[in-house]
Amino acid sequence: MTDDQGWADVGFNGCQDIPTPHIDRIAQEGVRFVEAYVTFPVCGPSRAGFLTGRYQDRFGFTTNPSIDPCNPEAGLPLEEETIAQVLQKADYRSAIIGKWHMGTHPLFHPLERGFDYFFGFLSGGHNYYPHDLYLNDITQVTKKWEWYRTKLIENRQPINTHEYLTDELSNAAVRFIKKQSDDGQHFMLYLAYNAPHTPLQATEEYLARFPDIKDEKRKTYAAMVSAVDDGVGWILQTLVDQGIDENTLIVFLSDNGGASNNASQNTPLRGFKSDLFEGGIRVPLAMRWKGVIPAGQHFNKPVSSLDIMATIVAQNEIPIAPERPLDGVDLIPFLTKKKDGDPHDYLFWRKWEQDAMAVRKDHLKLVSNWNQEGGLPFLFDVVSDISENKQLAGDNQQDLDDLMSHWNDWNAQLKDRVFPTLGADVWWTEAQR
Ligand code: CA
């Protein structure tokens, strides 16, 4: 998983100025999802949905939680099960390498949430140069955003690192995969790169690959994506070297659309990170499972990041607790043509803080503000109008009513926010100490 990477910033979605040959191999040797969505247009809620396989507002994860190691509410609610907890039932070993963002209180630590190994950082973003990482841990933070400067953590220990962060994470991923396959242990690795999220920082080695990009921001962004692509290449090679290339399912995606501040590109999609237009929620997604998923597919039906957990759980035949049903579907039967039709009848989104909603059914997508009295909702045919320019709401009352009524039924199942939002975190101020 990458962070804030634009829809158009992978070769398999047509990117011209940033080669991503290794990421593209996942799509070429497997499937490229043309209309893939995450469940929220910013990091935290999107990841909470991805990691539980459930719409995150079912458990009140409506926004980025405050970065607050003193708050036992500000994280992924403990009554939810992560994909790592579920996979323990099938004897998997799981790791998260990179960005956690599911709470900084010790109760929310990845090792408490089903993961057997953690190498990374707890907050929602991080500096990339090792000399910038000087705080021993998050409790030493004295000002906002200083959590970007904590040392990396291995399991529960702060460690000194020496590489550019993206390389550090890629190397840790390779080590984990080697160890598990040497032990004959099946595994799940959640490699959560923070690249290319801000701050825009890249090394000379990667910057030198882009002499023709004149815009400095875009050049640095390109270098950051290129570093991720190298890491993907190391991992793909490790799978070959370890002889587990054929029986490893690999998924690549971004956690939300490209942001307006990191020089990413979502073209031709409308909008950016934090929007419910396609630019905020439609992401690059590719999946490879050699011998199972026929290679070179372009899958055109809408799919969700929720489907990744559902697919993995179904393929391992792991029972799911009835009180926490998954919202995704197993995609494998659709990719092997055993099933036809749309994996989802409806896909839903909610931005609780903004009273904003969206719903997709077939070609149609409704984007609206549910408390906006008299305001015209946006209705688009996102298949013929990928850029969401042609407003259809005026003479489609029946479609509007259907979409709105299904969204209302879904919304009635959701919770309000259960923790303080990012920005409410003042625990580090002197007054609090
Ligand atoms: Ca993000």
Side-chain angles (χ1 to χ4, degrees), residues 75-179:
L76 184 66
L78 300 178
E79 61 271 20
E80 291 298 315
E81 279 193 323
T82 68
I83 185 170
Q85 284 170 297
V86 171
L87 284 173
Q88 281 177 333
K89 295 166 194 171
D91 194 32
Y92 275 76
R93 279 183 68 83
S94 296
I96 169 192
I97 293 175
K99 161 169 158 174
W100 176 234
H101 210 187
M102 292 295 106
T104 51
H105 190 281
L107 283 171
F108 299 120
H109 192 279
L111 298 188
E112 307 292 339
R113 305 312 307 271
F115 289 93
D116 301 288
Y117 181 69
F118 172 45
F119 182 100
F121 53 93
L122 295 170
S123 60
H126 222 67
N127 277 40
Y128 291 84
Y129 304 130
H131 63 259
D132 271 350
L133 312 181
Y134 51 79
L135 293 179
N136 227 28
D137 63 53
I138 211 154
T139 64
Q140 297 185 342
V141 167
T142 57
K143 54 180 185 283
K144 201 170 170 92
W145 306 115
E146 204 179 22
W147 45 79
Y148 276 49
R149 296 171 182 277
T150 52
K151 293 181 182 181
L152 297 194
I153 301 169
E154 184 170 36
N155 293 324
R156 297 181 196 276
Q157 292 301 317
I159 56 168
N160 293 313
T161 50
H162 308 285
E163 305 279 344
Y164 179 58
L165 180 56
T166 300
D167 294 344
E168 198 75 65
L169 300 179
S170 301
N171 285 325
V174 166
R175 287 196 300 272
F176 176 78
I177 293 168
K178 275 190 179 158
K179 172 83 168 76

Side-chain angles (χ1 to χ4, degrees), residues 7 15-16 30 116 130-131 134 157 170 189 210 353 374-375 377 394:
W7 188 80
C15 184
Q16 296 294 322
D116 301 288
H131 63 259
Y134 51 79
Q157 292 301 317
S170 301
L189 166 61
F210 300 96
E353 280 76 10

Side-chain angles (χ1 to χ4, degrees), residues 3-4 43 197 255-256 273:
D3 198 348
D4 293 7
C43 317
H197 191 293
D255 71 333
N256 49 251
K273 173 182 182 178

Side-chain angles (χ1 to χ4, degrees), residues 196-256:
H197 191 293
T198 54
L200 292 176
Q201 296 174 341
T203 57
E204 282 306 320
E205 176 201 351
Y206 293 116
L207 288 165
R209 294 178 183 179
F210 300 96
D212 296 334
I213 300 183
K214 299 304 171 205
D215 178 79
E216 283 302 315
K217 275 180 85 172
R218 179 71 179 173
K219 184 187 191 111
T220 309
Y221 174 88
M224 294 168 80
V225 170
S226 198
V228 169
D229 190 66
D230 273 25
V232 171
W234 302 343
I235 288 163
L236 294 178
Q237 187 57 45
T238 303
L239 297 177
V240 173
D241 295 344
Q242 297 293 123
I244 54 173
D245 190 39
E246 299 278 327
N247 57 359
T248 304
L249 169 67
I250 307 171
V251 182
F252 174 89
L253 78 164
S254 178
D255 71 333
N256 49 251

